[in-house]
Amino acid sequence: MTDEPQALPQAIETWQTTLNWQPTKSQQAQLQTLYELILAGNRQLNLTRITEPDEFWEKHIWDSLRGIVSWQPEKETDSPSSQEFPSLPISVSAQVIDIGTGGGFPGIPVAIAQPKWRVTLLDSTRKKMAFLDTVIAALGLPSVTTVSDRAESLGQHPQHRAHYDLALVRAVAEAPVCAEYALPLLKLGGFAVLYRGQWSESDTDTLKSAVAHLGGAIAHIAAFTTPLSQGIRHCIYLQKTARTPSEFPRAIGVPAKQPLG
Ligand code: SAM
């Protein structure tokens, strides 16, 4: 790695063929600034080991955005490409939470692609959230806020419980644990996206029985590979179908120690 940050790939064709979307010039500039700020932040905080431009683009930016693509058929459009991101069917000004956001993934790329969504970045590490406050200010993202707390506490907080249209959870814990963090925070009808790598039928069975306790159901499982290194990915889409019983999420640490399923 040289000291000067390199340019992220523009990847116009890849965006187009994989998501039928391309970032605008200003979104591309925001993604580049995000990359530079993360590299700078990495000197003090352990944010990511992925620092090369192609890998950063694929594993942090593309991967973050692939998770919010709708699996439902797209509306017919006249133009072959769209400036509008082909997102999950939630309202234009949706309330979104990224649980265990770490260095801001997937929440910050999502906020750049969907500037009208109101995005809350949640992590228990206060230092990372203080850093993300500076990133949000530098990127000019007024619709993004940070909260330093545990998902187990936030899920029992009256201002946050049943408040969100969409919850995103990447690389935080086993899938049933992520479901216990996410479902209490969702409004009825809201979605959670669990970003996973490998996935098996037995994972589906365990998760199905976990979400049944939480008022949720598996709505869809998307299997795909990443566009540069062909890494295996699965996005598991949960929908909140009933109120989550008040005992969930359980006390701090219990979901991870005794996962539902
Ligand atoms: N989501 C980011 C990504 O994909 O790059 C960060 C993943 S990092 C491996 C996991 C993050 O989840 C850490 O920053 C950790 O502090 C946070 N985390 C783990 N358990 C949590 C909990 N119960 N509540 C809030 N944050 C949590």
Side-chain angles (χ1 to χ4, degrees):
M1 215 30 240
T2 57
D3 280 352
E4 267 304 289
Q6 295 164 267
L8 287 176
Q10 301 232 341
I12 292 171
E13 267 194 51
T14 313
W15 281 126
Q16 192 57 60
T17 51
T18 56
L19 305 190
N20 192 29
W21 173 81
Q22 291 168 19
T24 61
K25 279 212 168 101
S26 85
Q27 286 168 325
Q28 183 69 35
Q30 284 176 307
L31 294 172
Q32 177 68 30
T33 305
L34 171 63
Y35 174 49
E36 293 174 13
L37 293 170
I38 295 283
L39 291 189
N42 238 2
R43 292 185 202 125
Q44 272 95 47
L45 298 162
N46 186 17
L47 298 169
T48 182
R49 7 163 230 96
I50 297 168
T51 54
E52 292 305 318
D54 283 2
E55 207 188 356
F56 189 94
W57 178 84
E58 179 186 50
K59 296 194 176 148
H60 280 324
I61 295 175
W62 185 90
D63 191 65
S64 292
L65 295 184
R66 178 61 182 81
I68 59 158
V69 172
S70 178
W71 65 86
Q72 282 153 2
E74 275 185 62
K75 283 179 267 145
E76 291 286 322
T77 51
D78 291 340
S79 93
S81 77
S82 175
Q83 300 259 296
E84 231 174 81
F85 196 90
S87 292
L88 294 168
I90 56 174
S91 83
V92 191
S93 57
Q95 292 280 2
V96 178
I97 185 160
D98 177 11
I99 299 169
T101 189
F105 303 101
I108 293 185
V110 163
I112 290 172
Q114 281 292 16
K116 290 190 182 141
W117 286 3
R118 287 163 289 163
V119 178
T120 301
L121 304 173
L122 169 70
D123 203 284
S124 51
T125 312
R126 203 166 287 278
K127 270 192 195 161
K128 286 186 189 168
M129 294 303 91
F131 167 73
L132 289 187
D133 283 333
T134 66
V135 172
I136 291 162
L139 293 174
L141 292 172
S143 60
V144 183
T145 51
T146 62
V147 177
S148 307
D149 207 338
R150 295 280 305 208
E152 298 93 316
S153 310
L154 220 69
Q156 294 293 358
H157 194 293
Q159 271 174 14
H160 292 274
R161 189 176 175 90
H163 178 73
Y164 295 92
D165 301 284
L166 178 65
L168 309 172
V169 204
R170 194 181 83 151
V172 173
E174 287 173 43
V177 181
C178 296
E180 187 167 346
Y181 293 161
L183 282 161
L185 291 165
L186 292 179
K187 294 175 188 165
L188 265 184
F191 291 99
V193 185
L194 312 186
Y195 290 69
R196 313 299 303 179
Q198 299 279 356
W199 190 257
S200 67
E201 277 188 25
S202 88
D203 291 326
T204 302
D205 292 342
T206 309
L207 183 61
K208 228 184 234 172
S209 85
V211 297
H213 293 283
L214 298 164
I218 299 178
H220 183 72
I221 298 178
F224 53 91
T225 55
T226 60
L228 303 182
S229 61
Q230 273 73 52
I232 292 176
R233 296 284 187 280
H234 290 83
C235 278
I236 319 301
Y237 298 89
L238 307 179
Q239 190 163 28
K240 181 143 165 179
T241 50
R243 207 179 62 82
T244 303
S246 57
E247 73 248 43
F248 300 114
R250 291 167 290 166
I252 288 175
V254 178
K257 267 189 220 118
Q258 295 160 25
L260 295 171

